[in-house]
Amino acid sequence: MRRQRTTLLAVSTLLTITLTAAPTPANAHRAAQPHQVTNLTVRQADGYATLAWQPVDGATDYQIERTAVDTDGTPTGAPTIVGVWRPNRQINQEAPTFADAGFNPGDTFQWRVRARTGTTEQPYSDPVAATTTAPWGNPDNPGENLRTLWETTHAAQYTTDTDEYAYTAAIDALSDRVRVVELGRTIQNRPINMLVIGHPTPPATPAAVAATTPVAINCNVHGNEPGDREACLIMARQLAFSTDPRITDLLAHTTVLIVPTINGDGRAANTRGNSTGQDLNRDYSLIRQPETAAYIKMVRDYRPVAGYDGHEFGNSRAGDLPMLPPRHQNVAQPIFDQSQDMIEGHMYAKGADAGWWPCPYGCEGGGNVGLSEETILRNTLGLKNVTNSLLELRSSGGQTRPDEGNTANNRRRKTYSALWTFHQFLDYHRSNLDDILDARTKAIEFQHVPVVPLLTGDGPCVQQPFDQVTLPHVDVGA
């Protein structure tokens, strides 16, 4: 049975600021109009703002409006509908929230929300204005002042391979918490680097890292899906230099392994596969390519106990963050259950708090609900008894994010939603490590018992010891 637990650790790496709608003196004593949204608050975090409000009886959905304003609150741009909240977005219908991430961090905006009943638009809430959180890191502090090409161009360009190498090398040089190691080389001889991050310093050897029950994040296996990679690079800077007690506590209790770009050739060419055209996410157990060989050798040597694998998803109707646990038929039940708990017991609830929309892979007309080949990393890791999940970033804004025809806004939403997810993953590991290790131990013990797999559809198999299995009679004389 899947376990549902509440994680107690804080989410944000920064001090969050919550602002409440304040009526102007002219309407300070005016009662709310019928069906008007009230109690609008806006809470700032890394790259996004969480809007929350009192639900309106009978509302079908809600529209979120954002307007650029100056520091005096005077509009400097046209009001724009940037979001649509629908009941399927979250598990808690009594406290609607929406994560708005389609803006340049550090700019100032005003937000309003209105309910709709069918197609009938109700009155807007009173406005809330705030300056959004700037990109993480004090620009006057060495290390913290590092920025990726994606950040410096305001999401107009993705970080190139050479910029990535310079950025990660600078983090390595400036932070005692970080060591960059080369796992291998791509076919075109690009380095496959991994950041090994711990506090006060990372362990010196793979075996010593393994003893810390590490976590691993694979950021960019498909070269044309770079949103997660940008999130990983930003998070590496946060982990390397933040003095937030949450960050230092996390790193004092584990080691974080971040592989920004396993498929450097595909990223350089903006192609799904590597330079041979091979989809590397169909090669992790076959290990025919140098890129997958490098990653699997890392799994063998560093022995992560939990992992996330970053992707982007083309269905515009799906959630912000479709997720999927290991589904190979021979993944041990405790690992499947623990991975599912990480998604349903943690990400869904925390998403409802923050305004993101995590959902099962394939949700909202997503088609195929996930393949079970062992060659896919989430399945390979599951078979190696690693609690893990695939993460998809919905590629287009779709109906719930109508302002993402703006390319930069679309890229920001994808990257900052991934950044949120990866931080949540670290929090889950910190709070649930005993359960993760217990699932791993039970899976290993079970795998030492001779079993016959009984396939039961597209979920994990039901496995029984040989002495409990009745094999069908076969008439050898027929």
Side-chain angles (χ1 to χ4, degrees):
M1 178 178 290
R2 295 170 190 163
R3 298 168 296 244
Q4 304 296 319
R5 291 183 294 271
T6 300
T7 300
L8 300 178
L9 288 181
V11 175
S12 177
T13 62
L14 298 172
L15 176 66
T16 58
I17 303 173
T18 302
L19 297 103
T20 304
T24 62
N27 63 12
H29 301 292
R30 187 184 68 190
Q33 301 177 62
H35 307 295
Q36 182 181 24
V37 167
T38 59
N39 299 331
L40 175 65
T41 63
V42 183
R43 185 175 71 247
Q44 303 298 330
D46 284 337
Y48 69 96
T50 299
L51 282 74
W53 58 90
Q54 183 69 30
V56 173
D57 289 342
T60 306
D61 61 17
Y62 299 86
Q63 292 179 320
I64 292 88
E65 178 197 81
R66 184 179 71 234
T67 305
V69 298
D70 62 20
T71 54
D72 294 326
T74 302
T76 59
T80 304
I81 300 296
V82 297
V84 176
W85 185 97
R86 294 173 175 167
N88 59 347
R89 286 189 58 88
Q90 63 189 66
I91 60 174
N92 179 5
Q93 303 301 304
E94 303 306 314
T97 59
F98 189 90
D100 179 20
F103 52 78
N104 183 50
D107 289 349
T108 303
F109 300 96
Q110 171 188 285
W111 288 269
R112 298 191 302 174
V113 176
R114 68 181 174 192
R116 291 194 300 185
T117 306
T119 59
T120 302
E121 297 167 347
Q122 304 299 336
Y124 271 114
S125 68
D126 290 327
V128 175
T131 299
T132 59
T133 300
W136 188 90
N138 187 330
D140 296 324
N141 291 345
E144 290 187 30
N145 61 3
L146 294 170
R147 297 293 184 270
T148 65
L149 181 64
W150 184 87
E151 291 176 285
T152 59
T153 63
H154 295 172
Q157 298 179 50
Y158 287 114
T159 304
T160 66
D161 54 353
T162 54
D163 286 315
E164 175 194 320
Y165 307 147
Y167 175 86
T168 54
I171 291 177
D172 188 352
L174 293 169
S175 175
D176 291 337
R177 302 177 192 175
V178 179
R179 182 174 70 255
V180 175
V181 299
E182 184 176 306
L183 300 179
R185 292 264 168 167
T186 68
I187 290 175
Q188 295 181 346
N189 203 37
R190 289 183 170 87
I192 302 168
N193 290 329
M194 179 172 74
L195 295 101
V196 184
I197 309 175
H199 186 274
T201 59
T205 66
V209 170
T212 68
T213 59
V215 298
I217 302 174
N218 190 40
C219 310
N220 185 217
V221 62
H222 293 143
N224 59 352
E225 300 175 3
D228 302 91
R229 172 176 175 262
E230 299 295 344
C232 284
L233 294 173
I234 294 170
M235 187 169 76
R237 181 173 81 241
Q238 294 173 328
L239 297 180
F241 301 106
S242 176
T243 58
D244 186 328
R246 168 186 165 268
I247 295 290
T248 55
D249 175 73
L250 286 169
L251 295 177
H253 288 86
T254 191
T255 307
V256 179
L257 309 174
I258 299 176
V259 181
T261 319
I262 188 177
N263 186 10
D265 298 349
R267 173 78 289 271
N270 197 37
T271 58
R272 179 180 175 89
N274 69 354
S275 59
T276 72
Q278 173 64 52
D279 183 339
L280 297 179
N281 206 31
R282 301 297 185 273
D283 194 58
Y284 282 108
S285 62
L286 297 174
I287 318 178
R288 299 166 296 186
Q289 304 293 317
E291 296 92 342
T292 48
Y295 199 87
I296 292 305
K297 183 176 184 294
M298 182 279 290
V299 172
R300 181 196 68 188
D301 294 344
Y302 287 82
R303 302 182 68 80
V305 301
Y308 248 87
D309 183 33
H311 297 263
E312 295 185 23
F313 191 50
N315 184 344
S316 64
R317 292 174 55 201
D320 299 324
L321 300 164
M323 300 181 190
L324 186 65
R327 295 173 61 87
H328 188 275
Q329 304 286 1
N330 289 323
V331 170
Q333 191 72 43
I335 294 296
F336 177 86
D337 288 345
Q338 194 68 44
S339 301
Q340 194 78 329
D341 178 73
M342 181 168 65
I343 297 170
E344 295 185 356
H346 182 89
M347 295 297 181
Y348 287 7
K350 294 302 180 181
D353 290 341
W356 297 112
W357 181 12
C359 72
Y361 186 95
C363 64
E364 291 300 301
N368 196 308
V369 295
L371 304 177
S372 60
E373 289 95 329
E374 67 179 42
T375 56
I376 297 171
L377 182 58
R378 59 184 168 79
N379 292 324
T380 302
L381 291 179
L383 291 166
K384 297 300 181 183
N385 301 316
V386 178
T387 293
N388 82 99
S389 175
L390 168 145
L391 169 67
E392 298 277 5
L393 312 176
R394 187 179 66 208
S395 295
S396 63
Q399 296 175 342
T400 66
R401 295 185 180 275
D403 191 39
E404 288 191 15
N406 180 306
T407 299
N409 289 349
N410 173 261
R411 291 175 176 176
R412 292 179 184 118
R413 186 265 307 168
K414 290 188 290 187
T415 287
Y416 288 116
S417 66
L419 181 63
W420 174 86
T421 304
F422 294 148
H423 274 293
Q424 287 295 335
F425 168 53
L426 298 183
D427 283 344
Y428 181 83
H429 174 274
R430 179 70 180 95
S431 292
N432 297 280
L433 180 58
D434 288 346
D435 291 323
I436 292 170
L437 295 181
D438 182 59
R440 187 176 177 90
T441 298
K442 289 177 179 177
I444 293 171
E445 290 174 349
F446 179 76
Q447 288 161 350
H448 282 81
V449 179
V451 295
V452 171
L454 304 179
L455 304 185
T456 59
D458 63 355
C461 69
V462 176
Q463 303 186 71
Q464 294 178 285
F466 275 120
D467 60 2
Q468 297 179 19
V469 174
T470 301
L471 298 177
H473 173 73
V474 178
D475 187 349
V476 297

